[in-house]
Amino acid sequence: MKKLCLLTLVAAMSILTGCVQRGEQGNSSSSGSQTSSESSSGGGSSSSFTPSGDQINPESSDAQAISISSLISANKGKSNTTKLYRITGIAQWPKNTTYGNFDLLDDTGYIFVYGCSKNTSSIKKSGNTYSYTNDSTFASIGIKPGDQITMEGLFVWYAYSSNYGVAEFQGYITRITHNGASSISAKSYTASETYSGNYYSSIGSETGSTLLTNLHNLMDSTHTNYIFYSSLSSYYSQSDPHSSGGVKCFYSGTKASSYNKEHVWPQSSSNGLYGEDHAGSDLHHIRPTLNDYNSKRGNAMFGPVFGNKNAAGKLSYSGGGYDYYTGNVFEPADNIKGDVARIIMYVYMHYASTIGGASQTYYGDLRINWVMGTSPTDSWKLLRKWNAEDPVSEDEKTRNEKAFQVQHNRNPFIDHPTYADRIWG
């Protein structure tokens, strides 16, 4: 069954309509040439990467090498089972490790890979028609985010309706370059901490799971006022004030009078734990966001976009920089990466039942890799990295104080961001 989010739909449509913005060179993968080269087979549009790396399967003489944007444009929203294509790009974070569902990005755009196999037998030809069959071999390929891969296969247009659809690719691997771009190095928080109250008087010098459990218990005992989702807007002008008045929106940094209430940890990634109550209406968690930004984020996983970021979707942040996104990955602007990390760590610390300690019906099985899109170990490394690179801002302190007044609990990772290092370091 297809399990594609609205974000994938919107992202694919933005490519089809030419809305993906190209500009200054982004952070590209270190392996493989970034220059265009004409393919010796197929005679079609050139790929924006020169294939390199370990050969997994021989290339088919029937495959037409083509860039991702040219592939999508050439088929104009219709599946094509009469041509075999070859595309090369940078793999993003996989959402399915059995069959291989991920975005593939080259210098021209990105496409959703809905089926990636190790074996050429996944593609069969009968007369002039090709077909693809999943063979559950994706995991054995060992693809990691940031790897450069070359695939051969079919262009598939999955139509949601007569007006909307998703550009997909299905096929097998011919080459792969494990370039190490997915390796994440944690960083320790070095900025000064300014909180001096007595809220944490029960916390000592403990570390690791003991500190995590003690903070969880502190949330349980102090969070005594659970507010309604419908009431969140009445607090935003004070918890998220814009410098010129009104509400400052997350992901954009802009002022708005009309906005969505964003679950930073998506409801769909909570294992059914919350909707619009408890964690789903927590003022520390739910942020006001512009409608368009909210739809672009959808339920995509947080993580870096690998390859040429300017070939991905791009949203301006008013404080400088951009949010980047593909169908399955959303990389927040540098100015709010730390904000995101401290919210995600807070939600996990407060509401995950696997931590142990105090138990409530509204605590449950929250898994960090459902929202960060990589292994638990690498997820905590990435969160610590973002926590250190984007220190606590005045905006976060303002929100923390307002939430404390309303709910009577605080976000420990705003008051003491070094707790992240003490727990997961």
Side-chain angles (χ1 to χ4, degrees), residues 238-257:
Q238 297 176 64
S239 65
D240 297 77
H242 193 275
S243 58
S244 62
V247 174
K248 182 177 181 179
C249 288
F250 204 41
Y251 303 140
S252 66
T254 55
K255 176 182 177 180
S257 57

Side-chain angles (χ1 to χ4, degrees), residues 369-398:
N369 53 302
W370 290 343
V371 69
M372 297 306 297
T374 183
S375 69
T377 298
D378 285 345
S379 292
W380 296 120
K381 287 180 180 178
L382 180 58
L383 287 165
R384 287 182 58 208
K385 182 175 186 290
W386 285 0
N387 181 50
E389 291 178 343
D390 175 32
V392 174
S393 65
E394 291 303 316
D395 284 350
E396 290 178 276
K397 294 176 185 178
T398 298

Side-chain angles (χ1 to χ4, degrees), residues 15 33 64 70 89 106 118 172 181 187-188 196 233 255 264 276 280 285 345 365 413 415-416 424:
I15 295 174
S33 170
Q64 173 184 336
S70 296
D106 69 6
K118 184 176 184 179
Y172 56 84
K187 292 185 178 181
S188 296
S196 58
S233 296
K255 176 182 177 180
V264 180
E276 296 182 354
H285 174 207
M345 292 187 291
D365 186 10
F413 301 105
D415 293 327
H416 296 293
W424 295 291

Side-chain angles (χ1 to χ4, degrees), residues 161-416:
S161 68
S162 59
N163 297 319
Y164 300 103
V166 175
E168 300 178 353
F169 196 79
Q170 301 174 335
Y172 56 84
I173 296 290
T174 60
R175 286 185 183 275
I176 181 170
T177 301
H178 295 294
N179 57 29
S182 63
S183 61
I184 298 169
S185 297
K187 292 185 178 181
S188 296
Y189 194 91
T190 57
S192 61
E193 297 181 347
T194 58
Y195 179 74
S196 58
N198 60 6
Y199 181 79
Y200 304 95
S201 59
S202 63
I203 305 298
S205 60
E206 60 267 39
T207 59
S209 60
T210 302
L211 175 56
L212 183 60
T213 301
N214 288 346
L215 290 172
H216 170 82
N217 290 341
L218 182 61
M219 295 305 105
D220 183 78
S221 63
T222 60
H223 190 171
T224 56
N225 183 29
Y226 285 86
I227 60 179
F228 292 106
Y229 182 83
S230 58
S231 71
L232 285 166
S233 296
S234 66
Y235 301 113
Y236 282 152
S237 62
Q238 297 176 64
S239 65
D240 297 77
H242 193 275
S243 58
S244 62
V247 174
K248 182 177 181 179
C249 288
F250 204 41
Y251 303 140
S252 66
T254 55
K255 176 182 177 180
S257 57
S258 175
Y259 49 80
N260 284 122
K261 289 174 283 192
E262 155 81 339
H263 291 72
V264 180
W265 188 313
Q267 298 179 54
S268 60
S269 302
S270 72
N271 197 27
L273 179 61
Y274 56 79
E276 296 182 354
D277 55 40
H278 295 95
S281 62
D282 191 324
L283 190 54
H284 287 292
H285 174 207
I286 312 300
R287 303 297 302 269
T289 59
L290 291 179
N291 296 351
D292 183 49
Y293 282 58
N294 188 56
S295 66
K296 293 293 194 302
R297 193 279 160 113
N299 65 354
M301 300 172 288
F302 287 118
V305 172
F306 292 107
N308 181 355
K309 293 181 190 295
N310 289 300
K314 188 163 66 170
L315 299 166
S316 296
Y317 185 78
S318 68
Y322 299 93
D323 306 295
Y324 295 96
Y325 65 91
T326 64
N328 290 328
V329 184
F330 189 90
E331 179 177 347
D334 290 345
N335 284 5
I336 57 168
K337 280 186 167 74
D339 305 51
V340 167
R342 289 179 281 274
I343 291 172
I344 294 299
M345 292 187 291
Y346 165 84
V347 172
Y348 179 83
M349 174 271 302
H350 190 343
Y351 296 100
S353 59
T354 52
I355 291 172
S359 178
Q360 302 284 356
T361 57
Y362 43 86
Y363 300 160
D365 186 10
L366 288 178
R367 302 187 186 183
I368 198 66
N369 53 302
W370 290 343
V371 69
M372 297 306 297
T374 183
S375 69
T377 298
D378 285 345
S379 292
W380 296 120
K381 287 180 180 178
L382 180 58
L383 287 165
R384 287 182 58 208
K385 182 175 186 290
W386 285 0
N387 181 50
E389 291 178 343
D390 175 32
V392 174
S393 65
E394 291 303 316
D395 284 350
E396 290 178 276
K397 294 176 185 178
T398 298
R399 163 174 277 270
N400 200 19
E401 292 300 331
K402 182 59 183 179
F404 179 49
Q405 292 173 17
V406 175
Q407 300 182 169
H408 310 142
N409 72 318
R410 304 182 67 85
N411 182 337
F413 301 105
I414 292 175
D415 293 327
H416 296 293

Side-chain angles (χ1 to χ4, degrees), residues 38-45 59-66 86 152:
E38 293 294 327
S39 170
S40 59
S41 62
S45 301
E59 293 182 345
S60 170
S61 59
D62 293 332
Q64 173 184 336
I66 193 169
R86 182 184 306 124
E152 293 182 347

